[in-house]
Amino acid sequence: MSRQYLVAGNWKMFGNMASNQVLVEGMCAGLDAVPKVQVLVCPPATYLTAIQQAARGSGLLLGAQNLAAQEKEGAFTGEILGSMLKDVGCSHVIVGHSERRALFGDTDAVVAQKVHAALAAGLVPILCVGETLAEREADATEAVIARQIDAVLAVNPVASLAALVIAYEPVWAIGTGKTASPEQAQNVHAFIRARIAAVDAKLGDSLRILYGGSVKPDNAASIFAQTDVDGGLIGGASLKAADFLAICAAAQSQG
Ligand code: 13P
């Protein structure tokens, strides 16, 4: 099946009101050139409303970088409920990014609960999976990814996952300038698709799997050309409109 490419920018904890305005205007000015591609930005939560307004009518999609595991309002200081993200215009939310897993206690079980919370709020979860360098060197890549995916499947009935997006982000490639080779990416993406197809063949076929980890304008096309790569989750290069649009153009130019 042909799957629409999705290019998502994860801005992480960078930027301010003034720089975001310039960035969003620059991105919106280039969207007409990439009509086949879904383009999404995930800024820090404090800027969601301002960016929603700046991007109004442009087709630029808005997402968050994280959400609470809870599904109802309550006394959870500092947390943000999925429905609140939806309320300010988010369609997507990143769940289980490796920085959250490594630094903020997002275990497999928490990540699975957050996927559930995202779906309950009507958000598309972008579930991040990926191995560390030590795990790759120990030949544990597939075991790690299987564990991360199976934890989500254990909590979320497969029938609820039609909207799910998975992002393969090898931890050793994030912010390091080291990209997985197109073949390494394809191998893991094919493994992810097969793992999902084993529980639901149709979902396996329609599932969009993004690659993330040092995607830049000069390597995006060769990664996006792989059969099981359906777009990218872009960190550093999503902070420059020209670079981000060049990556979107690499998706636009695929078959
Ligand atoms: P970089 O593109 O900066 O390597 O970041 C990737 C990432 O973590 C996106 O979520």
Side-chain angles (χ1 to χ4, degrees), residues 11-35:
W11 294 3
K12 308 194 180 184
M13 200 172 73
F14 289 98
N16 56 47
M17 203 64 113
S19 66
N20 291 340
Q21 187 69 26
V22 174
L23 187 51
V24 171
E25 279 173 14
M27 287 181 180
C28 290
L31 289 183
D32 282 353
V34 292

Side-chain angles (χ1 to χ4, degrees), residues 8-10 12 94 97-99 128 169 173-178 212-216 233-238:
N10 173 9
K12 308 194 180 184
I94 299 170
H97 191 279
S98 62
E99 288 151 16
C128 297
E169 296 209 316
I174 295 176
T176 58
K178 283 188 207 153
S214 298
V215 177
K216 306 290 175 201
L233 183 54
I234 318 301
S238 73

Side-chain angles (χ1 to χ4, degrees), residues 233-246:
L233 183 54
I234 318 301
S238 73
L239 297 171
K240 289 189 190 143
D243 286 0
F244 190 61
L245 288 170

Side-chain angles (χ1 to χ4, degrees), residues 42-239:
C42 302
T46 45
Y47 300 117
L48 286 166
T49 297
I51 290 168
Q52 196 265 338
Q53 282 164 7
R56 198 186 290 273
S58 69
L60 186 69
L61 298 171
L62 193 62
Q65 299 174 14
N66 182 37
L67 82 168
Q70 287 75 18
E71 299 188 9
K72 288 198 204 112
E73 287 180 329
F76 300 104
T77 302
E79 290 296 299
I80 303 179
L81 190 61
S83 62
M84 295 173 179
L85 298 172
K86 183 92 180 163
D87 201 24
V88 295
C90 290
S91 53
H92 292 65
V93 60
I94 299 170
V95 182
H97 191 279
S98 62
E99 288 151 16
R100 297 226 47 100
R101 291 178 188 262
L103 304 172
F104 300 104
D106 283 15
T107 61
D108 287 337
V110 169
V111 171
Q113 190 52 53
K114 288 186 174 185
V115 168
H116 194 277
L119 292 167
L123 295 164
V124 174
I126 301 178
L127 168 67
C128 297
V129 298
E131 81 288 4
T132 63
L133 184 59
E135 288 163 341
R136 175 162 282 267
E137 286 174 345
D139 247 341
T141 299
E142 291 189 353
V144 168
I145 286 166
R147 191 200 73 220
Q148 292 171 335
I149 289 176
D150 291 354
V152 170
L153 293 175
V155 171
N156 295 274
V158 74
S160 72
L161 294 175
L164 178 72
V165 173
I166 294 183
Y168 170 52
E169 296 209 316
V171 178
W172 49 271
I174 295 176
T176 58
K178 283 188 207 153
T179 320
S181 69
E183 295 70 28
Q184 284 173 322
Q186 169 57 25
N187 287 341
V188 177
H189 282 228
F191 175 78
I192 292 169
R193 192 176 303 288
R195 193 90 190 167
I196 297 292
V199 289
D200 187 310
K202 200 158 148 262
L203 183 60
D205 199 30
S206 63
L207 177 73
R208 283 194 292 175
I209 309 175
L210 313 182
Y211 170 80
S214 298
V215 177
K216 306 290 175 201
D218 61 357
N219 60 25
S222 61
I223 295 171
F224 293 166
Q226 301 301 309
T227 313
D228 290 300
V229 178
D230 307 307
L233 183 54
I234 318 301
S238 73
L239 297 171

